[in-house]
């Protein structure tokens, strides 16, 4: 999420600097650069596209999801995660979801797959639920599977809880599914329910009608922001100690 913020900020500054030029169109610039034959220019286009919310840019980003260069594909996914329009968000979720099967077939694609799933987590669009949970088997890479469950859990929808409960019931107690699905349920609901499968099923029967996925999403966001602030303070203190140590050795 920190990477997405940085990407958006850089793109925002770029739009300010170049937006002063007469006739400049952020939309046209991003689309043209994404279609360039030069990889560095396509990277620039992916960065610029982060804050350009027009449908033509979304279409260009979706097309670039299959770029020949992994670095471009990863930046494109990050920019797609920043879509704000309902239609564009849905298209982005569907397009990224279609990439999952191919990326889970090869071990060397694991880093890219995790990046893609992270982008789908941050996009949190309901259209991403089905591809995120499709064909997660016990033989699949566990790290990727857990990331997919967490990404699904970040989607603010009651349907998510139903699907995660199905996944929980399908896993035996000693299987990684059991723990992973419970972690995803805690993340989705922001509740710490005890009692395993029976406990979660009982909780959902009691709370399904009153559960508000938007409120749960707000709690997740607040916790994430709190973690960022704490990390920022730690980083600041670490730099301060480094400077002090350096000054003391002079």
């Amino acid at each position: 999420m920190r990477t997405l913020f940085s990407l958006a900020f850089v793109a925002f500054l770029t739009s300010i600097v170049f937006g002063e030029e007469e006739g400049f169109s952020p939309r046209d610039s991003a689309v043209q650069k994404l279609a360039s034959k030069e990889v560095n220019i396509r990277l620039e286009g992916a960065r610029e596209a982060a804050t350009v919310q027009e449908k033509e840019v979304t279409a260009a980003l979706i097309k670039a999801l299959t770029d020949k260069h992994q670095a471009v594909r990863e930046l494109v996914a990050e920019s797609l995660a920043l879509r704000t329009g309902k239609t564009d968000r849905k298209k982005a979720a569907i397009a990224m979801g279609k990439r999952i099967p191919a990326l889970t077939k090869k071990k060397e694609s694991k880093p890219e797959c995790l990046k893609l799933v992270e982008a789908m987590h941050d996009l949190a669009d309901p259209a991403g639920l089905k591809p995120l949970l499709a064909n997660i088997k016990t033989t699949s890479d566990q790290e990727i599977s857990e990331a997919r469950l967490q990404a699904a859990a970040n989607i603010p929808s009651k349907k998510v809880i139903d699907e995660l409960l199905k996944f929980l019931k399908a896993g035996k107690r000693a299987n990684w599914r059991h723990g992973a699905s419970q972690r995803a349920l805690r993340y989705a609901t922001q509740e710490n329910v005890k009692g395993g499968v029976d406990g979660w099923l009982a909780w959902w029967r009691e709370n399904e009608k009153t559960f508000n996925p938007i409120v749960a999403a707000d709690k997740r966001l607040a916790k994430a922001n709190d973690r960022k602030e704490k990390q920022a303070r730690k980083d600041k203190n670490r730099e301060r100690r480094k400077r002090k140590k350096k000054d003391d050795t002079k």
Side-chain angles (χ1 to χ4, degrees), residues 19-241:
E20 295 175 356
E21 296 181 11
E22 185 177 355
F24 175 82
S25 167
R27 177 197 63 199
D28 292 342
S29 176
V31 170
Q32 290 171 12
K33 287 181 179 179
L34 283 167
S36 172
K37 293 182 179 180
E38 300 294 328
V39 62
N40 288 336
I41 295 178
R42 296 202 299 279
L43 286 168
E44 287 181 15
R47 293 189 188 96
E48 288 183 13
T51 56
V52 184
Q53 297 293 337
E54 298 182 55
K55 63 181 181 180
E56 293 85 357
V57 175
T58 299
L61 285 169
I62 289 174
K63 185 177 180 179
L65 270 175
T66 55
D67 192 277
K68 293 181 179 179
H69 290 266
Q70 180 178 336
V72 175
R73 296 194 299 269
E74 290 183 356
L75 270 179
V76 164
E78 291 176 8
S79 287
L80 283 172
L82 295 168
R83 299 303 91 189
T84 57
K86 184 177 180 179
T87 300
D88 284 352
R89 287 171 59 83
K90 182 177 180 179
K91 289 181 178 179
I94 292 172
M96 287 194 285
K98 288 180 178 179
R99 292 280 298 152
I100 292 177
L103 293 176
T104 53
K105 289 180 180 179
K106 299 179 181 179
K107 290 183 178 180
E108 58 268 29
S109 298
K110 178 176 177 177
E112 182 181 354
C113 188
L114 289 172
K115 286 278 189 179
L116 180 79
V117 172
E118 180 183 357
M120 293 184 72
H121 169 283
D122 293 337
L123 182 64
D125 189 85
L129 180 59
K130 185 175 180 179
L132 281 169
L133 296 183
N135 300 318
I136 300 182
K137 301 177 181 179
T138 55
T139 53
S140 300
D141 183 281
Q142 185 173 336
E143 185 178 5
I144 291 177
S145 296
E146 291 215 34
R148 290 169 68 179
L149 285 170
Q150 289 290 305
N154 197 44
I155 297 172
S157 168
K158 286 187 177 183
K159 187 177 179 180
V160 171
I161 313 303
D162 290 325
E163 293 301 318
L164 291 176
L165 284 171
K166 291 178 184 178
F167 193 81
L168 173 62
K169 288 189 290 184
K172 296 180 180 179
R173 194 169 187 80
N175 194 287
W176 70 266
R177 281 174 173 242
H178 194 77
S181 50
Q182 288 197 80
R183 285 190 288 274
L185 280 164
R186 286 195 292 268
Y187 187 60
T189 63
Q190 293 296 293
E191 298 287 344
N192 188 17
V193 176
K194 305 293 184 181
V197 177
D198 292 338
W200 276 106
L201 290 174
W203 180 86
W204 191 230
R205 283 195 297 269
E206 183 179 346
N207 293 276
E208 182 177 5
K209 291 183 179 180
T210 57
F211 175 72
N212 189 329
I214 303 301
V215 172
D218 289 341
K219 289 181 180 179
R220 287 194 297 275
L221 182 59
K223 288 181 179 179
N225 289 335
D226 185 54
R227 287 193 296 271
K228 285 181 182 179
E229 291 176 2
K230 288 181 179 178
Q231 187 59 50
R233 289 195 294 270
K234 286 182 180 179
D235 293 341
K236 186 176 181 179
N237 290 334
R238 188 181 298 112
E239 288 301 317
R240 186 183 296 115
R241 288 194 296 271

